[in-house]
Amino acid sequence: MSRLINPHLILGGARSGKSTYAEALVMSMAPPHRYVATAQILDEEMARRVREHRERRGTMWRTIECPVHLADTLLALDQEPAPILVDCLTLWYSNLLLSLEDRAVKAHISSVCDVLHSARSPMFLVSNEVGCGIVPDNALARSYRDLAGWANQRVAAACRAVTYVIAGIPVLLKPR
């Protein structure tokens, strides 16, 4: 079944259903189910979102928090062949952008792509498609949009499957 080809990038807009779809893909596989969370809880609203995600997933998932060093985390998890869900790359990109120099940011993204090329474990990665909106009005937001677009292209190239989720409907982009 093509939806279980991996590594698998799941793209979509905000609240498109991409995380729920990715979780269902992982849940269709034998446990243990590992969830790599890139979010940093910096305010009450984000704390609420994290709680909602955890409650939706339930106790069948092992959560690993990883705000920056994603390639190292994936390499370590790949030692045990069990499904891994990374949610989400766009939060990870913002963590990188705000904490590292440009060259280091791109090196981290390239390292994750290297891991994807050699992964033995099923890996599913969630990311927002941020390039469909208006041009942001400030330099930081434009840098973020440009980084996310560049990085999503590289991750999509490293993945054997890519799905775009629109209004809860998954559309397989790769393979065709």
Side-chain angles (χ1 to χ4, degrees):
M1 179 181 297
S2 61
R3 66 187 185 109
L4 291 179
I5 294 173
N6 59 80
H8 191 146
L9 175 63
I10 297 99
L11 294 166
R15 297 297 191 190
S16 63
K18 62 191 174 298
S19 293
T20 304
Y21 176 72
E23 290 166 9
L25 291 177
V26 172
M27 291 294 288
S28 73
M29 304 179 86
H33 303 122
R34 286 127 5 127
Y35 184 96
V36 178
T38 62
Q40 297 182 80
I41 299 174
L42 303 175
D43 58 32
E44 182 51 41
E45 187 265 344
M46 184 55 87
R48 179 187 53 76
R49 287 176 179 260
V50 168
R51 273 193 310 274
E52 288 171 0
H53 269 252
R54 284 181 188 240
E55 288 170 5
R56 184 178 69 228
R57 287 192 312 272
T59 59
M60 296 295 297
W61 292 78
R62 177 177 154 228
T63 300
I64 300 96
E65 295 183 10
C66 180
V68 175
H69 300 285
L70 185 56
D72 294 338
T73 298
L74 292 176
L75 276 174
L77 291 173
D78 197 31
Q79 300 306 308
E80 177 189 356
I84 300 165
L85 172 58
V86 177
D87 197 358
C88 85
L89 291 179
T90 41
L91 285 173
W92 179 62
Y93 302 153
S94 67
N95 296 342
L96 295 177
L97 182 66
L98 295 174
S99 63
L100 300 171
E101 297 294 322
D102 187 55
R103 196 179 344 239
V105 169
K106 290 186 175 178
H108 274 262
I109 292 163
S110 294
S111 294
V112 165
C113 291
D114 291 342
V115 171
L116 296 174
H117 284 297
S118 62
R120 294 176 297 148
S121 299
M123 292 187 187
F124 301 86
L125 304 100
V126 174
S127 190
N128 285 292
E129 176 51 65
V130 299
C132 294
I134 61 171
V135 175
D137 69 347
N138 67 77
L140 178 60
R142 285 188 300 275
S143 293
Y144 173 74
R145 182 220 38 209
D146 293 348
L147 171 65
W150 177 87
N152 280 342
Q153 288 180 54
R154 268 113 199 112
V155 173
C159 287
R160 293 180 55 220
V162 178
T163 297
Y164 192 73
V165 179
I166 305 163
I169 301 168
V171 179
L172 186 65
L173 302 177
K174 177 185 176 183
R176 292 191 181 225

